[in-house]
Amino acid sequence: MKHLTAETKASAPHLRWRRISGMRDVAVHEYFDTAHAVVLQTSREDIPELKAAVELMLRGHGLDDEDRRPGR
């Protein structure tokens, strides 16, 4: 998230970019101190929202599922 441009972030203003980046930092640096309930909630609620936003951004750039497959 930290390497995304301001333009990219502005294309999905409803996403809480700082919070997304912060969750990554917690998961990486404080893994054993992270409450399982927080991780579970994130995986069930936040990740689907993020995935949908990323898919929308990719479609806006003319990319589809075929373009996003590994090795492309």
Side-chain angles (χ1 to χ4, degrees):
M1 298 297 157
K2 294 175 184 176
H3 297 286
L4 293 176
T5 65
E7 179 182 293
T8 298
K9 291 177 185 177
S11 71
H14 65 285
L15 293 177
R16 296 168 291 182
W17 293 105
R18 284 183 190 244
R19 206 160 167 220
I20 292 168
S21 183
M23 181 61 180
R24 179 259 177 213
D25 292 343
V26 168
V28 170
H29 299 293
E30 300 175 29
Y31 179 76
F32 293 108
D33 293 331
T34 303
H36 291 18
V38 172
V39 174
L40 185 60
Q41 179 182 356
T42 298
S43 66
R44 287 185 175 162
E45 297 176 17
D46 298 330
I47 291 177
E49 179 183 354
L50 178 60
K51 180 182 180 218
V54 169
E55 288 173 344
L56 186 62
M57 284 187 253
L58 289 171
R59 282 195 300 272
H61 289 286
L63 301 174
D64 61 18
D65 288 339
E66 289 292 320
D67 296 317
R68 292 183 276 143
R69 289 197 176 152
R72 293 224 168 214

Short mmCIF file of all heavy atoms in Angstrom, two decimals:
data_model
loop_
_atom_site.label_atom_id
_atom_site.label_comp_id
_atom_site.label_asym_id
_atom_site.label_seq_id
_atom_site.Cartn_x
_atom_site.Cartn_y
_atom_site.Cartn_z
N MET A 1 0.80 -1.18 0.00
CA MET A 1 0.00 0.00 0.00
C MET A 1 0.85 1.26 0.00
O MET A 1 0.46 2.25 -0.57
CB MET A 1 -0.90 0.04 1.23
CG MET A 1 -1.88 -1.06 1.34
SD MET A 1 -3.04 -0.98 -0.01
CE MET A 1 -3.57 -2.64 -0.03
N LYS A 2 1.99 1.17 0.64
CA LYS A 2 2.83 2.37 0.78
C LYS A 2 3.43 2.82 -0.55
O LYS A 2 3.85 3.95 -0.67
CB LYS A 2 3.92 2.10 1.80
CG LYS A 2 3.36 1.90 3.19
CD LYS A 2 4.43 1.52 4.18
CE LYS A 2 3.79 1.25 5.53
NZ LYS A 2 4.76 0.80 6.52
N HIS A 3 3.42 1.93 -1.54
CA HIS A 3 4.01 2.28 -2.83
C HIS A 3 2.96 2.70 -3.86
O HIS A 3 3.31 3.01 -4.99
CB HIS A 3 4.82 1.09 -3.37
CG HIS A 3 5.97 0.73 -2.50
ND1 HIS A 3 7.12 1.48 -2.44
CD2 HIS A 3 6.13 -0.28 -1.63
CE1 HIS A 3 7.95 0.93 -1.58
NE2 HIS A 3 7.36 -0.13 -1.06
N LEU A 4 1.70 2.71 -3.47
CA LEU A 4 0.66 3.15 -4.38
C LEU A 4 0.71 4.66 -4.55
O LEU A 4 1.01 5.39 -3.61
CB LEU A 4 -0.72 2.75 -3.85
CG LEU A 4 -1.03 1.26 -3.80
CD1 LEU A 4 -2.39 1.04 -3.17
CD2 LEU A 4 -0.96 0.64 -5.17
N THR A 5 0.39 5.10 -5.73
CA THR A 5 0.38 6.54 -5.98
C THR A 5 -0.84 7.18 -5.34
O THR A 5 -1.84 6.51 -5.06
CB THR A 5 0.35 6.83 -7.50
OG1 THR A 5 -0.89 6.33 -8.02
CG2 THR A 5 1.52 6.18 -8.22
N ALA A 6 -0.76 8.47 -5.16
CA ALA A 6 -1.90 9.23 -4.63
C ALA A 6 -3.10 9.10 -5.57
O ALA A 6 -4.25 9.02 -5.13
CB ALA A 6 -1.51 10.68 -4.43
N GLU A 7 -2.84 9.05 -6.85
CA GLU A 7 -3.90 8.91 -7.85
C GLU A 7 -4.63 7.58 -7.68
O GLU A 7 -5.85 7.51 -7.75
CB GLU A 7 -3.31 9.01 -9.26
CG GLU A 7 -4.32 8.85 -10.36
CD GLU A 7 -3.67 8.92 -11.73
OE1 GLU A 7 -3.17 10.00 -12.09
OE2 GLU A 7 -3.68 7.88 -12.42
N THR A 8 -3.87 6.51 -7.46
CA THR A 8 -4.47 5.20 -7.26
C THR A 8 -5.33 5.20 -6.01
O THR A 8 -6.47 4.72 -6.03
CB THR A 8 -3.38 4.11 -7.15
OG1 THR A 8 -2.65 4.08 -8.38
CG2 THR A 8 -3.98 2.75 -6.89
N LYS A 9 -4.82 5.74 -4.94
CA LYS A 9 -5.59 5.79 -3.69
C LYS A 9 -6.83 6.66 -3.86
O LYS A 9 -7.89 6.34 -3.33
CB LYS A 9 -4.72 6.30 -2.56
CG LYS A 9 -3.63 5.32 -2.17
CD LYS A 9 -2.75 5.90 -1.09
CE LYS A 9 -1.59 4.98 -0.79
NZ LYS A 9 -0.69 5.55 0.21
N ALA A 10 -6.72 7.72 -4.61
CA ALA A 10 -7.86 8.62 -4.83
C ALA A 10 -8.96 7.95 -5.65
O ALA A 10 -10.12 8.33 -5.55
CB ALA A 10 -7.40 9.91 -5.51
N SER A 11 -8.59 6.93 -6.42
CA SER A 11 -9.59 6.24 -7.23
C SER A 11 -10.51 5.36 -6.38
O SER A 11 -11.55 4.90 -6.86
CB SER A 11 -8.93 5.41 -8.33
OG SER A 11 -8.27 4.28 -7.78
N ALA A 12 -10.13 5.14 -5.13
CA ALA A 12 -10.97 4.37 -4.20
C ALA A 12 -10.97 5.08 -2.85
O ALA A 12 -10.43 4.58 -1.87
CB ALA A 12 -10.47 2.95 -4.07
N PRO A 13 -11.57 6.27 -2.80
CA PRO A 13 -11.50 7.07 -1.58
C PRO A 13 -12.24 6.45 -0.39
O PRO A 13 -11.99 6.82 0.75
CB PRO A 13 -12.13 8.40 -1.99
CG PRO A 13 -13.01 8.06 -3.13
CD PRO A 13 -12.33 6.92 -3.84
N HIS A 14 -13.14 5.51 -0.65
CA HIS A 14 -13.88 4.87 0.43
C HIS A 14 -13.03 3.89 1.24
O HIS A 14 -13.40 3.51 2.34
CB HIS A 14 -15.12 4.16 -0.13
CG HIS A 14 -14.77 3.02 -1.02
ND1 HIS A 14 -14.31 3.22 -2.32
CD2 HIS A 14 -14.81 1.69 -0.81
CE1 HIS A 14 -14.09 2.03 -2.86
NE2 HIS A 14 -14.39 1.09 -1.98
N LEU A 15 -11.89 3.49 0.67
CA LEU A 15 -11.01 2.56 1.40
C LEU A 15 -10.17 3.33 2.41
O LEU A 15 -9.75 4.44 2.16
CB LEU A 15 -10.10 1.82 0.43
CG LEU A 15 -10.79 0.85 -0.52
CD1 LEU A 15 -9.78 0.23 -1.46
CD2 LEU A 15 -11.53 -0.23 0.25
N ARG A 16 -9.95 2.71 3.53
CA ARG A 16 -9.15 3.33 4.59
C ARG A 16 -7.70 2.90 4.41
O ARG A 16 -7.22 1.95 5.03
CB ARG A 16 -9.70 2.92 5.95
CG ARG A 16 -11.12 3.45 6.15
CD ARG A 16 -11.79 2.84 7.33
NE ARG A 16 -12.05 1.44 7.00
CZ ARG A 16 -12.67 0.59 7.80
NH1 ARG A 16 -13.07 0.98 8.97
NH2 ARG A 16 -12.88 -0.64 7.43
N TRP A 17 -7.01 3.60 3.52
CA TRP A 17 -5.67 3.20 3.10
C TRP A 17 -4.68 3.12 4.25
O TRP A 17 -3.89 2.19 4.34
CB TRP A 17 -5.15 4.16 2.02
CG TRP A 17 -5.94 4.04 0.75
CD1 TRP A 17 -6.86 4.93 0.27
CD2 TRP A 17 -5.90 2.98 -0.19
NE1 TRP A 17 -7.40 4.48 -0.90
CE2 TRP A 17 -6.81 3.28 -1.22
CE3 TRP A 17 -5.18 1.78 -0.27
CZ2 TRP A 17 -7.02 2.44 -2.31
CZ3 TRP A 17 -5.39 0.95 -1.35
CH2 TRP A 17 -6.30 1.28 -2.36
N ARG A 18 -4.71 4.07 5.15
CA ARG A 18 -3.78 4.04 6.30
C ARG A 18 -4.04 2.83 7.19
O ARG A 18 -3.13 2.19 7.69
CB ARG A 18 -3.88 5.31 7.12
CG ARG A 18 -3.21 6.49 6.49
CD ARG A 18 -3.31 7.67 7.44
NE ARG A 18 -2.87 8.86 6.76
CZ ARG A 18 -1.82 9.56 7.11
NH1 ARG A 18 -1.12 9.21 8.16
NH2 ARG A 18 -1.48 10.63 6.44
N ARG A 19 -5.30 2.53 7.36
CA ARG A 19 -5.67 1.38 8.18
C ARG A 19 -5.24 0.07 7.53
O ARG A 19 -4.81 -0.86 8.19
CB ARG A 19 -7.17 1.39 8.42
CG ARG A 19 -7.53 0.71 9.66
CD ARG A 19 -8.89 1.11 10.15
NE ARG A 19 -9.19 0.13 11.18
CZ ARG A 19 -10.34 -0.43 11.38
NH1 ARG A 19 -11.35 -0.06 10.65
NH2 ARG A 19 -10.51 -1.32 12.30
N ILE A 20 -5.38 -0.01 6.22
CA ILE A 20 -4.95 -1.20 5.48
C ILE A 20 -3.45 -1.39 5.65
O ILE A 20 -2.97 -2.48 5.95
CB ILE A 20 -5.32 -1.07 3.98
CG1 ILE A 20 -6.84 -1.12 3.82
CG2 ILE A 20 -4.64 -2.16 3.16
CD1 ILE A 20 -7.32 -0.72 2.44
N SER A 21 -2.71 -0.32 5.46
CA SER A 21 -1.26 -0.37 5.61
C SER A 21 -0.88 -0.72 7.05
O SER A 21 0.04 -1.50 7.29
CB SER A 21 -0.66 0.97 5.21
OG SER A 21 0.73 0.93 5.29
N GLY A 22 -1.60 -0.16 8.00
CA GLY A 22 -1.33 -0.44 9.40
C GLY A 22 -1.56 -1.90 9.76
O GLY A 22 -0.82 -2.49 10.54
N MET A 23 -2.60 -2.51 9.18
CA MET A 23 -2.87 -3.92 9.44
C MET A 23 -1.75 -4.79 8.92
O MET A 23 -1.35 -5.75 9.55
CB MET A 23 -4.21 -4.33 8.80
CG MET A 23 -4.58 -5.76 9.05
SD MET A 23 -4.75 -6.10 10.81
CE MET A 23 -5.18 -7.81 10.75
N ARG A 24 -1.21 -4.43 7.79
CA ARG A 24 -0.08 -5.17 7.24
C ARG A 24 1.10 -5.10 8.21
O ARG A 24 1.75 -6.10 8.49
CB ARG A 24 0.32 -4.60 5.88
CG ARG A 24 1.51 -5.28 5.25
CD ARG A 24 2.73 -4.42 5.46
NE ARG A 24 3.92 -5.08 4.92
CZ ARG A 24 5.10 -4.95 5.45
NH1 ARG A 24 5.30 -4.22 6.52
NH2 ARG A 24 6.13 -5.55 4.93
N ASP A 25 1.36 -3.93 8.74
CA ASP A 25 2.47 -3.77 9.68
C ASP A 25 2.26 -4.60 10.94
O ASP A 25 3.19 -5.23 11.43
CB ASP A 25 2.65 -2.29 10.05
CG ASP A 25 3.15 -1.46 8.88
OD1 ASP A 25 3.66 -2.05 7.89
OD2 ASP A 25 3.01 -0.23 8.93
N VAL A 26 1.04 -4.62 11.43
CA VAL A 26 0.74 -5.42 12.63
C VAL A 26 0.94 -6.90 12.33
O VAL A 26 1.56 -7.63 13.11
CB VAL A 26 -0.70 -5.15 13.12
CG1 VAL A 26 -1.12 -6.18 14.16
CG2 VAL A 26 -0.81 -3.75 13.68
N ALA A 27 0.42 -7.35 11.19
CA ALA A 27 0.53 -8.76 10.84
C ALA A 27 1.98 -9.20 10.67
O ALA A 27 2.36 -10.30 11.07
CB ALA A 27 -0.25 -9.04 9.56
N VAL A 28 2.81 -8.33 10.14
CA VAL A 28 4.21 -8.68 9.89
C VAL A 28 5.07 -8.53 11.13
O VAL A 28 5.87 -9.40 11.44
CB VAL A 28 4.78 -7.82 8.72
CG1 VAL A 28 6.27 -8.00 8.60
CG2 VAL A 28 4.09 -8.20 7.42
N HIS A 29 4.89 -7.44 11.85
CA HIS A 29 5.82 -7.13 12.94
C HIS A 29 5.34 -7.57 14.32
O HIS A 29 6.15 -7.72 15.23
CB HIS A 29 6.11 -5.63 12.96
CG HIS A 29 6.75 -5.16 11.70
ND1 HIS A 29 8.03 -5.54 11.33
CD2 HIS A 29 6.30 -4.36 10.71
CE1 HIS A 29 8.32 -4.98 10.16
NE2 HIS A 29 7.29 -4.27 9.76
N GLU A 30 4.04 -7.75 14.47
CA GLU A 30 3.51 -8.13 15.78
C GLU A 30 2.67 -9.39 15.66
O GLU A 30 1.66 -9.54 16.35
CB GLU A 30 2.67 -6.98 16.35
CG GLU A 30 3.46 -5.70 16.53
CD GLU A 30 2.59 -4.56 16.99
OE1 GLU A 30 1.58 -4.80 17.67
OE2 GLU A 30 2.93 -3.41 16.66
N TYR A 31 3.11 -10.30 14.81
CA TYR A 31 2.31 -11.48 14.48
C TYR A 31 1.82 -12.23 15.71
O TYR A 31 0.65 -12.55 15.83
CB TYR A 31 3.11 -12.41 13.57
CG TYR A 31 2.35 -13.65 13.20
CD1 TYR A 31 1.34 -13.59 12.25
CD2 TYR A 31 2.61 -14.86 13.83
CE1 TYR A 31 0.61 -14.72 11.91
CE2 TYR A 31 1.88 -15.99 13.51
CZ TYR A 31 0.89 -15.92 12.55
OH TYR A 31 0.18 -17.02 12.23
N PHE A 32 2.71 -12.52 16.64
CA PHE A 32 2.33 -13.34 17.79
C PHE A 32 1.50 -12.57 18.81
O PHE A 32 0.88 -13.17 19.68
CB PHE A 32 3.57 -13.95 18.44
CG PHE A 32 4.23 -14.96 17.54
CD1 PHE A 32 5.43 -14.68 16.93
CD2 PHE A 32 3.62 -16.18 17.29
CE1 PHE A 32 6.03 -15.60 16.09
CE2 PHE A 32 4.20 -17.12 16.45
CZ PHE A 32 5.41 -16.83 15.85
N ASP A 33 1.48 -11.26 18.71
CA ASP A 33 0.68 -10.45 19.62
C ASP A 33 -0.66 -10.02 19.02
O ASP A 33 -1.43 -9.33 19.66
CB ASP A 33 1.46 -9.19 20.04
CG ASP A 33 2.67 -9.54 20.89
OD1 ASP A 33 2.62 -10.56 21.61
OD2 ASP A 33 3.65 -8.78 20.85
N THR A 34 -0.91 -10.43 17.78
CA THR A 34 -2.14 -10.03 17.10
C THR A 34 -3.28 -10.96 17.52
O THR A 34 -3.16 -12.17 17.46
CB THR A 34 -1.95 -10.09 15.57
OG1 THR A 34 -0.85 -9.27 15.22
CG2 THR A 34 -3.18 -9.62 14.84
N ALA A 35 -4.37 -10.38 17.93
CA ALA A 35 -5.53 -11.17 18.35
C ALA A 35 -6.12 -11.91 17.15
O ALA A 35 -6.31 -11.32 16.08
CB ALA A 35 -6.57 -10.26 18.97
N HIS A 36 -6.40 -13.16 17.34
CA HIS A 36 -6.97 -13.97 16.26
C HIS A 36 -8.30 -13.40 15.79
O HIS A 36 -8.62 -13.46 14.61
CB HIS A 36 -7.15 -15.41 16.73
CG HIS A 36 -5.88 -16.15 16.95
ND1 HIS A 36 -4.66 -15.54 17.10
CD2 HIS A 36 -5.62 -17.47 17.03
CE1 HIS A 36 -3.72 -16.43 17.28
NE2 HIS A 36 -4.27 -17.62 17.25
N ALA A 37 -9.06 -12.83 16.69
CA ALA A 37 -10.36 -12.25 16.33
C ALA A 37 -10.19 -11.09 15.36
O ALA A 37 -11.00 -10.92 14.44
CB ALA A 37 -11.09 -11.78 17.58
N VAL A 38 -9.13 -10.31 15.52
CA VAL A 38 -8.86 -9.18 14.61
C VAL A 38 -8.53 -9.71 13.22
O VAL A 38 -9.03 -9.21 12.21
CB VAL A 38 -7.73 -8.29 15.16
CG1 VAL A 38 -7.32 -7.25 14.13
CG2 VAL A 38 -8.14 -7.63 16.46
N VAL A 39 -7.70 -10.72 13.16
CA VAL A 39 -7.32 -11.31 11.87
C VAL A 39 -8.54 -11.93 11.20
O VAL A 39 -8.76 -11.75 9.99
CB VAL A 39 -6.20 -12.36 12.05
CG1 VAL A 39 -5.89 -13.07 10.74
CG2 VAL A 39 -4.95 -11.71 12.61
N LEU A 40 -9.35 -12.63 11.96
CA LEU A 40 -10.55 -13.26 11.40
C LEU A 40 -11.52 -12.21 10.87
O LEU A 40 -12.04 -12.34 9.77
CB LEU A 40 -11.22 -14.13 12.46
CG LEU A 40 -12.42 -14.94 12.00
CD1 LEU A 40 -12.01 -15.90 10.89
CD2 LEU A 40 -13.00 -15.71 13.17
N GLN A 41 -11.75 -11.16 11.64
CA GLN A 41 -12.64 -10.10 11.19
C GLN A 41 -12.11 -9.44 9.92
O GLN A 41 -12.86 -9.17 8.98
CB GLN A 41 -12.82 -9.05 12.28
CG GLN A 41 -13.73 -7.92 11.83
CD GLN A 41 -13.88 -6.84 12.89
OE1 GLN A 41 -13.38 -6.96 13.99
NE2 GLN A 41 -14.58 -5.78 12.54
N THR A 42 -10.82 -9.19 9.89
CA THR A 42 -10.21 -8.59 8.70
C THR A 42 -10.40 -9.48 7.48
O THR A 42 -10.77 -9.00 6.41
CB THR A 42 -8.71 -8.33 8.94
OG1 THR A 42 -8.58 -7.41 10.02
CG2 THR A 42 -8.03 -7.78 7.70
N SER A 43 -10.17 -10.78 7.65
CA SER A 43 -10.29 -11.69 6.51
C SER A 43 -11.72 -11.82 6.03
O SER A 43 -11.97 -11.98 4.83
CB SER A 43 -9.72 -13.06 6.85
OG SER A 43 -10.49 -13.69 7.84
N ARG A 44 -12.67 -11.71 6.92
CA ARG A 44 -14.08 -11.87 6.54
C ARG A 44 -14.72 -10.58 6.03
O ARG A 44 -15.58 -10.62 5.17
CB ARG A 44 -14.89 -12.37 7.73
CG ARG A 44 -14.62 -13.82 8.04
CD ARG A 44 -15.53 -14.30 9.12
NE ARG A 44 -15.35 -15.73 9.34
CZ ARG A 44 -15.75 -16.35 10.42
NH1 ARG A 44 -16.35 -15.69 11.39
NH2 ARG A 44 -15.55 -17.64 10.54
N GLU A 45 -14.32 -9.45 6.58
CA GLU A 45 -15.00 -8.20 6.25
C GLU A 45 -14.17 -7.25 5.38
O GLU A 45 -14.69 -6.70 4.41
CB GLU A 45 -15.40 -7.48 7.54
CG GLU A 45 -16.39 -8.28 8.36
CD GLU A 45 -16.72 -7.63 9.69
OE1 GLU A 45 -16.43 -6.43 9.86
OE2 GLU A 45 -17.26 -8.33 10.56
N ASP A 46 -12.93 -7.06 5.74
CA ASP A 46 -12.13 -6.04 5.05
C ASP A 46 -11.52 -6.53 3.75
O ASP A 46 -11.49 -5.79 2.76
CB ASP A 46 -11.02 -5.54 5.98
CG ASP A 46 -11.57 -4.88 7.23
OD1 ASP A 46 -12.68 -4.31 7.16
OD2 ASP A 46 -10.93 -4.94 8.28
N ILE A 47 -11.03 -7.75 3.72
CA ILE A 47 -10.36 -8.23 2.50
C ILE A 47 -11.33 -8.33 1.33
O ILE A 47 -10.98 -7.92 0.21
CB ILE A 47 -9.60 -9.53 2.77
CG1 ILE A 47 -8.40 -9.21 3.67
CG2 ILE A 47 -9.16 -10.19 1.46
CD1 ILE A 47 -7.57 -10.38 4.08
N PRO A 48 -12.55 -8.84 1.50
CA PRO A 48 -13.48 -8.85 0.35
C PRO A 48 -13.75 -7.45 -0.20
O PRO A 48 -13.84 -7.27 -1.42
CB PRO A 48 -14.75 -9.49 0.93
CG PRO A 48 -14.25 -10.36 2.03
CD PRO A 48 -13.11 -9.58 2.64
N GLU A 49 -13.86 -6.46 0.68
CA GLU A 49 -14.06 -5.07 0.23
C GLU A 49 -12.84 -4.58 -0.55
O GLU A 49 -12.97 -3.96 -1.61
CB GLU A 49 -14.31 -4.16 1.43
CG GLU A 49 -14.52 -2.72 1.05
CD GLU A 49 -14.68 -1.81 2.27
OE1 GLU A 49 -14.75 -2.30 3.41
OE2 GLU A 49 -14.74 -0.60 2.04
N LEU A 50 -11.66 -4.89 -0.05
CA LEU A 50 -10.43 -4.49 -0.74
C LEU A 50 -10.31 -5.19 -2.08
O LEU A 50 -9.97 -4.57 -3.09
CB LEU A 50 -9.22 -4.81 0.14
CG LEU A 50 -7.85 -4.50 -0.45
CD1 LEU A 50 -7.71 -3.02 -0.78
CD2 LEU A 50 -6.75 -4.93 0.53
N LYS A 51 -10.62 -6.48 -2.12
CA LYS A 51 -10.55 -7.23 -3.37
C LYS A 51 -11.48 -6.63 -4.42
O LYS A 51 -11.10 -6.46 -5.58
CB LYS A 51 -10.93 -8.70 -3.13
CG LYS A 51 -10.88 -9.54 -4.37
CD LYS A 51 -11.29 -10.97 -4.09
CE LYS A 51 -11.23 -11.75 -5.38
NZ LYS A 51 -12.30 -12.70 -5.53
N ALA A 52 -12.70 -6.32 -4.02
CA ALA A 52 -13.66 -5.72 -4.96
C ALA A 52 -13.15 -4.39 -5.49
O ALA A 52 -13.28 -4.10 -6.69
CB ALA A 52 -15.02 -5.55 -4.28
N ALA A 53 -12.55 -3.59 -4.63
CA ALA A 53 -12.03 -2.29 -5.05
C ALA A 53 -10.87 -2.46 -6.03
O ALA A 53 -10.78 -1.75 -7.03
CB ALA A 53 -11.59 -1.47 -3.84
N VAL A 54 -9.99 -3.41 -5.75
CA VAL A 54 -8.85 -3.65 -6.64
C VAL A 54 -9.33 -4.15 -8.00
O VAL A 54 -8.84 -3.71 -9.04
CB VAL A 54 -7.85 -4.63 -6.00
CG1 VAL A 54 -6.80 -5.10 -7.00
CG2 VAL A 54 -7.18 -3.99 -4.79
N GLU A 55 -10.31 -5.05 -7.99
CA GLU A 55 -10.86 -5.54 -9.26
C GLU A 55 -11.48 -4.40 -10.07
O GLU A 55 -11.30 -4.34 -11.29
CB GLU A 55 -11.87 -6.65 -9.00
CG GLU A 55 -11.22 -7.93 -8.53
CD GLU A 55 -12.21 -9.00 -8.10
OE1 GLU A 55 -13.41 -8.68 -7.87
OE2 GLU A 55 -11.78 -10.15 -7.99
N LEU A 56 -12.18 -3.51 -9.41
CA LEU A 56 -12.77 -2.36 -10.08
C LEU A 56 -11.68 -1.46 -10.67
O LEU A 56 -11.80 -0.99 -11.81
CB LEU A 56 -13.65 -1.58 -9.11
CG LEU A 56 -14.45 -0.43 -9.69
CD1 LEU A 56 -15.44 -0.94 -10.74
CD2 LEU A 56 -15.21 0.28 -8.58
N MET A 57 -10.61 -1.23 -9.92
CA MET A 57 -9.51 -0.41 -10.42
C MET A 57 -8.86 -1.06 -11.63
O MET A 57 -8.54 -0.37 -12.62
CB MET A 57 -8.46 -0.19 -9.33
CG MET A 57 -8.87 0.81 -8.28
SD MET A 57 -7.50 1.16 -7.17
CE MET A 57 -8.05 0.32 -5.71
N LEU A 58 -8.66 -2.37 -11.58
CA LEU A 58 -8.05 -3.07 -12.71
C LEU A 58 -8.92 -2.98 -13.96
O LEU A 58 -8.43 -2.76 -15.05
CB LEU A 58 -7.77 -4.53 -12.35
CG LEU A 58 -6.64 -4.74 -11.35
CD1 LEU A 58 -6.59 -6.20 -10.91
CD2 LEU A 58 -5.30 -4.32 -11.92
N ARG A 59 -10.22 -3.17 -13.77
CA ARG A 59 -11.14 -3.04 -14.92
C ARG A 59 -11.09 -1.63 -15.48
O ARG A 59 -11.19 -1.43 -16.69
CB ARG A 59 -12.56 -3.41 -14.51
CG ARG A 59 -12.78 -4.90 -14.42
CD ARG A 59 -14.26 -5.26 -14.36
NE ARG A 59 -14.94 -4.68 -13.23
CZ ARG A 59 -15.05 -5.24 -12.03
NH1 ARG A 59 -14.49 -6.41 -11.80
NH2 ARG A 59 -15.71 -4.64 -11.06
N GLY A 60 -10.92 -0.64 -14.62
CA GLY A 60 -10.82 0.74 -15.07
C GLY A 60 -9.58 0.99 -15.91
O GLY A 60 -9.52 1.93 -16.69
N HIS A 61 -8.59 0.11 -15.75
CA HIS A 61 -7.36 0.22 -16.55
C HIS A 61 -7.38 -0.76 -17.72
O HIS A 61 -6.36 -0.99 -18.34
CB HIS A 61 -6.14 -0.05 -15.67
CG HIS A 61 -5.85 1.05 -14.71
ND1 HIS A 61 -5.31 2.26 -15.09
CD2 HIS A 61 -6.07 1.16 -13.37
CE1 HIS A 61 -5.18 3.04 -14.03
NE2 HIS A 61 -5.65 2.40 -12.98
N GLY A 62 -8.55 -1.35 -17.97
CA GLY A 62 -8.69 -2.25 -19.10
C GLY A 62 -8.13 -3.63 -18.86
O GLY A 62 -7.88 -4.37 -19.81
N LEU A 63 -7.93 -4.02 -17.62
CA LEU A 63 -7.41 -5.35 -17.30
C LEU A 63 -8.55 -6.24 -16.83
O LEU A 63 -9.51 -5.78 -16.23
CB LEU A 63 -6.34 -5.25 -16.20
CG LEU A 63 -5.14 -4.38 -16.53
CD1 LEU A 63 -4.24 -4.25 -15.31
CD2 LEU A 63 -4.37 -4.96 -17.69
N ASP A 64 -8.43 -7.53 -17.10
CA ASP A 64 -9.43 -8.47 -16.61
C ASP A 64 -8.72 -9.65 -15.96
O ASP A 64 -7.52 -9.63 -15.76
CB ASP A 64 -10.36 -8.93 -17.74
CG ASP A 64 -9.62 -9.65 -18.87
OD1 ASP A 64 -8.47 -10.10 -18.66
OD2 ASP A 64 -10.19 -9.77 -19.95
N ASP A 65 -9.49 -10.71 -15.64
CA ASP A 65 -8.92 -11.87 -14.95
C ASP A 65 -7.77 -12.49 -15.73
O ASP A 65 -6.79 -12.94 -15.15
CB ASP A 65 -9.99 -12.94 -14.71
CG ASP A 65 -10.97 -12.52 -13.63
OD1 ASP A 65 -10.62 -11.64 -12.82
OD2 ASP A 65 -12.09 -13.07 -13.60
N GLU A 66 -7.86 -12.55 -17.04
CA GLU A 66 -6.80 -13.14 -17.85
C GLU A 66 -5.49 -12.37 -17.70
O GLU A 66 -4.42 -12.94 -17.65
CB GLU A 66 -7.21 -13.16 -19.34
CG GLU A 66 -8.28 -14.16 -19.64
CD GLU A 66 -7.80 -15.60 -19.48
OE1 GLU A 66 -6.66 -15.90 -19.88
OE2 GLU A 66 -8.57 -16.40 -18.95
N ASP A 67 -5.59 -11.05 -17.61
CA ASP A 67 -4.40 -10.21 -17.49
C ASP A 67 -3.74 -10.34 -16.13
O ASP A 67 -2.56 -10.01 -15.97
CB ASP A 67 -4.76 -8.73 -17.72
CG ASP A 67 -5.26 -8.50 -19.13
OD1 ASP A 67 -4.67 -9.05 -20.06
OD2 ASP A 67 -6.25 -7.77 -19.27
N ARG A 68 -4.47 -10.78 -15.13
CA ARG A 68 -3.95 -10.83 -13.77
C ARG A 68 -3.41 -12.20 -13.39
O ARG A 68 -2.96 -12.40 -12.28
CB ARG A 68 -5.03 -10.42 -12.77
CG ARG A 68 -5.37 -8.96 -12.92
CD ARG A 68 -6.36 -8.54 -11.91
NE ARG A 68 -7.70 -8.87 -12.40
CZ ARG A 68 -8.69 -9.30 -11.65
NH1 ARG A 68 -8.54 -9.44 -10.38
NH2 ARG A 68 -9.86 -9.57 -12.17
N ARG A 69 -3.45 -13.15 -14.28
CA ARG A 69 -2.95 -14.50 -13.96
C ARG A 69 -1.43 -14.47 -13.85
O ARG A 69 -0.76 -13.72 -14.58
CB ARG A 69 -3.38 -15.49 -15.02
CG ARG A 69 -4.87 -15.74 -14.94
CD ARG A 69 -5.26 -16.98 -15.66
NE ARG A 69 -6.67 -17.18 -15.44
CZ ARG A 69 -7.45 -17.80 -16.29
NH1 ARG A 69 -6.96 -18.30 -17.38
NH2 ARG A 69 -8.72 -17.94 -16.03
N PRO A 70 -0.87 -15.29 -12.94
CA PRO A 70 0.59 -15.33 -12.80
C PRO A 70 1.27 -15.63 -14.13
O PRO A 70 0.77 -16.40 -14.95
CB PRO A 70 0.81 -16.49 -11.81
CG PRO A 70 -0.47 -16.58 -11.06
CD PRO A 70 -1.56 -16.19 -12.04
N GLY A 71 2.40 -15.00 -14.33
CA GLY A 71 3.17 -15.21 -15.56
C GLY A 71 2.78 -14.32 -16.70
O GLY A 71 3.31 -14.40 -17.80
N ARG A 72 1.87 -13.42 -16.46
CA ARG A 72 1.43 -12.51 -17.53
C ARG A 72 2.13 -11.19 -17.39
O ARG A 72 2.41 -10.71 -16.38
CB ARG A 72 -0.07 -12.30 -17.46
CG ARG A 72 -0.77 -13.58 -17.79
CD ARG A 72 -1.89 -13.27 -18.71
NE ARG A 72 -2.34 -14.54 -19.23
CZ ARG A 72 -2.79 -14.68 -20.43
NH1 ARG A 72 -2.86 -13.69 -21.23
NH2 ARG A 72 -3.21 -15.84 -20.86
#
